[in-house]
Amino acid sequence: MTHPEYILTLSCPDQRGIVHRVSGFLAEHGCNILDSAQFGDQETERFFMRVHFAAEDATIGDATLRAEFAQLGEALRLDWKLHDAHYKPRVLLMVSKIGHCLNDLLFRYKSGLLPVEIPAIVSNHMDFYQLAASYNIPFHHLPLATGAPESAKLAQEARIVDLMDTHQVDLVVLARYMQILSPELCTRLKGKAINIHHSFLPSFKGARPYAQAHKRGVKLIGATAHFVTGDLDEGPIIEQDVERVDHAMDAETLSAIGRDVECVVLARAVKWFVEHRILQNGDRTVIFK
């Protein structure tokens, strides 16, 4: 018999007995813990926990489970969420003219490696409409001319918001989307949008960062995935990785290595998000791998 499964995530002021109280509640309500992880941050004095469990008592429904856990949440001052473990989050992908991350995410999605639904792809260019069509995913071309007035940018973003609402989007992924989002949209997307970029910032900004890095003789190529905030490329970091390079490699080779690292880092970040493994801790994140 298959039982409903949930993922509980929570954070709260650190105190004695949290694990005991939470696990005790689940046991009393006919739930079997499948895996659990927790972390107490001594600096912020906050406690974080992720519990994957099966609800084995058919007499206790979803509404009852949530309502009665809310009482415990209030007593422990929990910031908590209870997720259906079998629900596939709905992800909106956004891209400009560089497609390696988009292509990688679509392959992982189609292969079943990424447990999501992708209802739409948004781009300010037409380059990848055929790629989207090959996966039978609607492609929305929302152009924004260089130097366009603020009103045009806000109108374009309003269409993005409409798509998010229409498709009930849970996560927005900027898969090398090269437009800066307005502060208003960043606020709306707080904790629900992930960006990817090379890790040369702030040393090598602007055009051709890999050529700049090659000129300086860098020895490490890296990528960073982070939550989107109003502070450009400075949101809470989710994942980073690096690859060693050497003097024999030209700028194009460095760029190719960088693209590979970006794909892997972004895929990890998206997977961890949809599996509810990321909890925000101020300007940092707690990742339960």
Side-chain angles (χ1 to χ4, degrees):
M1 179 179 178
T2 301
H3 301 289
E5 293 183 18
Y6 294 89
I7 296 174
L8 170 67
T9 58
L10 63 87
S11 67
C12 63
D14 203 357
Q15 55 198 290
R16 290 190 298 272
I18 301 171
V19 174
H20 173 73
R21 296 281 297 276
V22 171
S23 59
F25 172 92
L26 294 176
E28 291 166 5
H29 288 74
C31 300
N32 180 36
I33 294 176
L34 303 176
D35 62 78
S36 177
Q38 56 273 333
F39 170 69
D41 188 340
Q42 295 184 358
E43 292 184 18
T44 62
E45 297 183 338
R46 288 192 67 80
F47 180 83
F48 301 84
M49 190 173 183
R50 177 187 185 273
V51 185
H52 178 196
F53 65 90
E56 298 180 348
D57 188 343
T59 65
I60 300 177
D62 181 271
T64 299
L65 191 66
R66 293 176 186 274
E68 296 190 4
F69 189 82
Q71 299 175 22
L72 177 62
E74 184 175 357
L76 295 178
R77 293 182 291 165
L78 302 181
D79 179 7
W80 64 278
K81 293 180 180 178
L82 187 59
H83 311 273
D84 179 348
H86 296 300
Y87 170 74
K88 292 184 178 182
R90 300 174 64 78
V91 178
L92 176 70
L93 301 179
M94 299 180 64
V95 65
S96 290
K97 293 176 71 70
I98 303 174
H100 56 281
C101 288
L102 173 67
N103 188 56
D104 181 77
L105 290 173
L106 290 176
F107 174 79
R108 293 173 190 267
Y109 152 73
K110 191 68 173 181
S111 302
L113 301 174
L114 199 57
V116 300
E117 298 292 346
I118 302 177
I121 296 171
V122 167
S123 181
N124 54 327
H125 297 280
M126 285 293 292
D127 297 55
F128 302 112
Y129 80 95
Q130 289 179 317
L131 177 63
S134 72
Y135 285 92
N136 200 29
I137 298 174
F139 181 89
H140 300 269
H141 180 218
L142 305 182
L144 190 63
T146 302
E150 187 68 14
S151 58
K153 181 177 180 63
L154 294 179
Q156 186 229 29
E157 290 190 346
R159 294 181 65 187
I160 295 171
V161 171
D162 285 343
L163 286 170
M164 291 166 50
D165 292 342
T166 299
H167 294 292
Q168 299 179 309
V169 167
D170 301 296
L171 173 67
V172 173
V173 177
L174 306 185
R176 296 305 302 269
Y177 182 69
M178 307 307 289
Q179 292 287 331
I180 297 174
L181 304 184
S182 69
E184 294 80 10
L185 186 54
C186 288
T187 298
R188 182 185 177 96
L189 292 174
K190 183 178 180 181
K192 296 182 179 180
I194 295 174
N195 188 28
I196 184 70
H197 59 72
H198 58 76
S199 289
F200 290 142
L201 297 174
S203 298
F204 307 124
K205 297 180 180 180
R208 305 188 69 214
Y210 288 97
Q212 297 178 53
H214 177 261
K215 187 174 181 180
R216 286 288 302 275
V218 300
K219 306 304 181 190
L220 287 174
I221 298 294
T224 295
H226 63 88
F227 282 115
V228 173
T229 66
D231 297 320
L232 184 62
D233 294 330
E234 295 184 15
I237 293 171
I238 301 170
E239 173 65 335
Q240 294 177 297
D241 207 347
V242 295
E243 189 76 28
R244 294 203 66 85
V245 296
D246 61 38
H247 63 277
M249 300 175 181
D250 59 18
E252 289 303 315
T253 301
L254 265 58
S255 181
I257 293 171
R259 289 193 296 268
D260 289 344
V261 178
E262 288 172 12
C263 288
V264 171
V265 168
L266 181 58
R268 287 178 190 156
V270 173
K271 190 171 189 293
W272 293 342
F273 181 95
V274 301
E275 292 178 348
H276 313 293
R277 298 183 182 278
I278 308 170
L279 281 73
Q280 290 200 50
N281 184 16
D283 293 330
R284 297 178 291 166
T285 58
V286 174
I287 312 291
F288 290 124
K289 299 180 182 178

